[in-house]
Structure formats: structure tokens, C-alpha cells
Amino acid sequence: MERSTILLEAARIIRERKEEIAKMETINNGKSIFEALVDVDISWQCVQYYAGLAGSLAGQHVQLPGGSFAYTRREPLGVCVGIGAWNYPFQIACWKSAPALACGNAMIFKPSPFTPISVVMLAEIYNEAGVPKGLFNVVQGGAATGQFLCHHPNVAKVSFTGSVSTGVKIMEMAAKGVKPVTLELGGKSPLIIFSDCILKNAVKGALMANFLTQGEVCSNGTRVFVQRNILPAFTQEVVRQTQNIKIGDPLLEDTRMGPLINRPHLEKVLSFVKQAKDQGAEVLCGGEPHVPEDPKLSDGFYMSPCVLGNCEDSMTCVKEEIFGPVMSILPFDTEEEVLERANSTRFGLAGGVFTSDIQRGHRVVAALQAGMCFINNYNISPVELPFGGYKMSGFGRENGEAAIDYYSQLKTVCVEMGDVESVF
């Protein structure tokens, strides 16, 4: 209950300083202030949620013969390491630290070197709320810092959000110390749109599945499968709305897309678009460097959001995670066919379906090999729901009650109430 009181106070301070934190997050990452404010809301809700769970952590009592019994204790792991990504710096730090602290652990958090600022604000807030000094620490640095943390003998667990390639390395390093890991890695998620959907909602869902945070979202539904008989109408409306996305200064309230994280990443995303064209895809809109009207933004890492048509499953843009504002549209005919194609990927983070047939909706998500699925919506993340992937998108869960299992360990205690029976 003491931990609960402190986490509740931290949630209150985050909520109180919402505008200040969101502005810093926008400067930190480049996402629109509109989105950053939503991220901060999700962050304080997460801390508040685990404050509520902190006092409910309990074990199990098991009655044994002859009046003997056993019980389990849910105990902290110890020092947990959180390694964050640059797309949701503050939010990811809350998603990892709140359940860790609620379970009685300490946490050392290493943010991405591209977004080092906002998690320091979180550390200050925890300090102000009454978290004991040294219980939540921020360590800045790059890959070498991460290696030191993963190899350190006193680290009990590593939770990582980022790319598959880095996740594999972290798992290898943690394995040397037999440390448990939570890996929230990349995705190439399918969004399946059936002809009986409500078209306006499907279009909105496709935009939400591709263009939040400049498309730099691991769960994005970048493979948009559209049933053939609504393909023209869907494509026309998606292109129209994509062209209307306001790109510019992310600190302005009406901006909906800011710059990408850095120049190398911008160039990488643009190269994916060029490769898609070379392989036969049609650029229906965007996919080019964008220079905003404001002269002070002329050196920003902007690009126009891109919709690709005439895509095929074998194309690089359909198989590889681009991590930018690039949507690939693929036609399909039958449910059986699209499910086989949707699952034909090494990733398994998310998936979605738009349909008016509720039986089909449940049937499709049951068949999708993905950890986070949506019916008639996409990319919403209530903190009450567990989030995590299948296959090479990782394992372990963040958020929801499920995260408690990944930041605690069970001890079983057996109590004998009679005489010991010995075989000797």
C-alpha cells in the first residue's frame, strides 16, 4: 500500500505537468503535440493502474492432507533493466517502470540516445512523489551501455523495446546470466478490410494503423489487405485523406505529422519507397521529402505520407518493417486466402479486421498469429490490456494484470503440521 500511495502521487504529478511533459516529448521525438498529449495521458493512466494493483499482489493457499498446507509468495525480482525506444520515450518508460515498481523492484532505465530527455523528467517526478532514492535510475548511452546492463551480475531481468536485431542480441546477452527478458520488437502487421465493413471507419482505421508518430510505430498495420470489390472506393478515399494530413511544426496544435527521428532514418524510409517503385509498386501519393512552408523548418527530416498500390506479397515493402509513413495496399478475394497471406510473415505483433459480420471478426482474429488484435479499430492501447507479440515480434507482456507475472517471481512454501515420514 505504501508503493500504491507513491505511484498514485506520481500519476497525479504527471497529469498536473501534462502540457510541459508533452512539449518536451515533441521536442524529444518530433511527433505532433496533439499525439504527445495523448501519450502523456496513457502514461499517467498506466502509473495509476499499477498503483491500484500494488496492494492486490497475493499468493495462493493450498490445503494438503493431515492439516498440512502450502502457500505461494509473489516476490520482486530485484534490479530490473528497462531499455526504451525512441518512438514513445516517456510512455514506454512508464509502461516498464510502473509494474516494476508496483511489484517491489528497482529499475535502471536506458532511453534511446536519440530521445534522452523526457525519461529524466519521469525520474524527477518519481523522486518528488517519494520513490526512495536509487530505486528508479536513468542511465544514458548507446549500445555499449546496454551491453553493460545486460551482462551485469546484479541485474535480475531485462525488458527491451526496439528492433528484432537488437532484441536477438539482448536475449543472447541475458542468456549468459539466465536472466528473464521481455522483448517488444518489430512488426509487419496485417489490417484486413472486408467488403461488408463500414468504409469510413475502415479508412480511418487504416490511417490510424499507418501514420501515427510519422509511421514510426511497431504495431502498425502496414499491410492493408482490401477485398477486391471495394478496392477502388477504399483506395480513393485513403489517398484523399492521406493527402490532407497536415505536416509541419509539431508544436502547433493543428499539425498531425511532424519530422522523422533523424536524417539516416528518413533516408532509409525514402529508400524503401524507391525500392517499392523499382519492384513494380505504384506510388499513389507521397513518399517524397517534404519541405514545410515555415523557413525555420527547412532542414527538418520531413516526408509526405505515402500510399503504395499494385503491391504484391513478395515485395520488400510488404515483407520488411519500414518504420515510417508508408502504407501498402494489397487486394484479396476470400477469407481463407487472406488469412494465409496475413500470417505469412516472421512477425506477429498485431493484426486487425474491419467487418460488419461479428462472427467473421472473431473467427479472423482467432486465426491471426499476432499478440494484439483489433476488430473494427486499430492502434488503441488502453493500459488495462496486455500488449506483446508472437513469433519474432517478441514475448512477454506489458500492461494489464499480465505484466505483474513478468516483474515478479513465485516462491512456494510447504508447511508440515504433523510428524515427518522418512523413507530411511
Side-chain angles (χ1 to χ4, degrees):
M1 289 306 292
E2 287 176 48
R3 299 200 288 264
S4 176
T5 301
I6 289 170
L7 288 172
L8 279 174
E9 177 63 8
R12 185 196 67 77
I13 298 168
I14 294 170
R15 191 164 66 243
E16 194 176 77
R17 294 175 60 184
K18 173 179 166 178
E19 281 76 16
E20 176 196 354
I21 297 166
K23 183 178 179 183
M24 187 58 74
E25 191 74 323
T26 291
I27 294 167
N28 205 25
N29 161 275
K31 69 175 67 192
S32 70
I33 189 74
F34 180 87
E35 276 192 55
L37 287 163
V38 174
D39 290 358
V40 178
D41 278 338
I42 292 170
S43 298
W44 69 253
Q45 288 163 12
C46 174
V47 176
Q48 184 170 291
Y49 176 80
Y50 286 107
L53 282 185
S56 72
L57 303 183
Q60 181 186 19
H61 177 277
V62 180
Q63 196 64 49
L64 298 173
S68 296
F69 63 94
Y71 62 92
T72 58
R73 288 167 49 92
R74 190 161 286 285
E75 297 184 345
L77 295 168
V79 179
C80 298
V81 165
I83 300 177
W86 45 256
N87 56 346
Y88 288 86
F90 191 84
Q91 184 178 299
I92 288 172
C94 290
W95 281 18
K96 294 187 190 304
S97 63
L101 295 176
C103 289
N105 300 287
M107 175 160 269
I108 301 169
F109 193 89
K110 188 195 86 65
S112 163
F114 299 126
T115 51
I117 304 299
S118 55
V119 68
V120 178
M121 298 175 76
L122 178 63
E124 291 170 350
I125 287 166
Y126 278 145
N127 189 50
E128 185 183 335
V131 171
K133 289 203 183 307
L135 206 65
F136 180 78
N137 306 273
V138 176
V139 177
Q140 303 285 0
T145 309
Q147 288 170 8
F148 285 130
L149 291 170
C150 291
H151 284 307
H152 199 287
N154 291 344
V155 167
K157 181 225 167 71
V158 180
S159 176
F160 169 76
T161 300
S163 70
V164 173
S165 58
T166 307
V168 169
K169 291 173 187 168
I170 282 172
M171 196 170 170
E172 287 173 350
M173 289 186 282
K176 289 184 170 64
V178 198
K179 304 180 200 297
V181 292
T182 293
L183 299 176
E184 202 278 275
L185 308 177
K188 193 70 187 176
S189 301
L191 175 58
I192 303 171
I193 296 170
F194 286 94
S195 57
D196 65 350
C197 70
I198 298 171
L199 191 67
K200 67 174 184 179
N201 284 337
V203 169
K204 288 178 187 173
L207 296 177
M208 289 288 288
N210 281 272
F211 299 135
L212 290 174
T213 309
Q214 300 78 250
E216 300 160 328
V217 183
C218 51
S219 57
N220 271 358
T222 50
R223 293 184 294 145
V224 181
F225 293 95
V226 183
Q227 204 153 24
R228 203 175 297 274
N229 54 342
I230 60 163
L231 182 65
F234 174 86
T235 303
Q236 182 182 354
E237 189 57 21
V238 155
V239 168
R240 186 186 71 79
Q241 293 196 27
T242 301
Q243 289 172 323
N244 287 337
I245 293 173
K246 187 165 190 295
I247 313 168
D249 185 344
L251 288 170
L252 298 178
E253 288 183 7
D254 63 342
T255 296
R256 288 298 176 269
M257 187 173 287
L260 276 67
I261 190 70
N262 54 37
R263 186 166 297 285
H265 187 64
L266 171 64
E267 290 171 355
K268 179 183 169 189
V269 174
L270 292 171
S271 74
F272 270 111
V273 177
K274 181 183 181 301
Q275 187 177 24
K277 283 198 293 192
D278 293 343
Q279 292 179 354
E282 182 186 356
V283 178
L284 302 175
C285 68
E288 296 175 335
H290 176 83
V291 180
E293 293 172 10
D294 187 339
K296 74 174 185 288
L297 304 176
S298 60
D299 291 329
F301 311 129
Y302 291 92
M303 70 172 282
S304 50
C306 178
V307 178
L308 297 173
N310 201 34
C311 295
E312 295 178 5
D313 294 356
S314 59
M315 291 177 177
T316 306
C317 64
V318 177
K319 293 197 297 186
E320 298 300 324
E321 183 176 40
I322 296 173
F323 220 63
V326 182
M327 177 196 303
S328 298
I329 298 179
L330 302 123
F332 76 93
D333 294 300
T334 68
E335 180 182 323
E336 185 181 19
E337 166 219 338
V338 77
L339 278 170
E340 186 178 335
R341 293 167 63 194
N343 287 330
S344 181
T345 171
R346 69 185 194 278
F347 298 111
L349 187 52
V353 56
F354 276 83
T355 177
S356 295
D357 181 340
I358 197 67
Q359 289 178 322
R360 173 192 273 156
H362 287 289
R363 192 168 62 233
V364 167
V365 296
L368 286 175
Q369 296 165 3
M372 185 78 189
C373 292
F374 305 90
I375 299 175
N376 294 333
N377 206 336
Y378 205 92
N379 263 348
I380 55 168
S381 50
V383 297
E384 305 94 325
L385 305 183
F387 181 86
Y390 284 11
K391 300 194 281 192
M392 287 195 78
S393 290
F395 51 80
R397 290 297 179 265
E398 298 190 302
N399 290 347
E401 288 184 48
I404 297 298
D405 292 338
Y406 296 97
Y407 284 103
S408 59
Q409 54 194 346
L410 275 183
K411 175 179 285 179
T412 302
V413 181
C414 195
V415 182
E416 176 58 61
M417 298 298 286
D419 293 329
V420 174
E421 292 183 14
S422 172
V423 298
F424 304 108

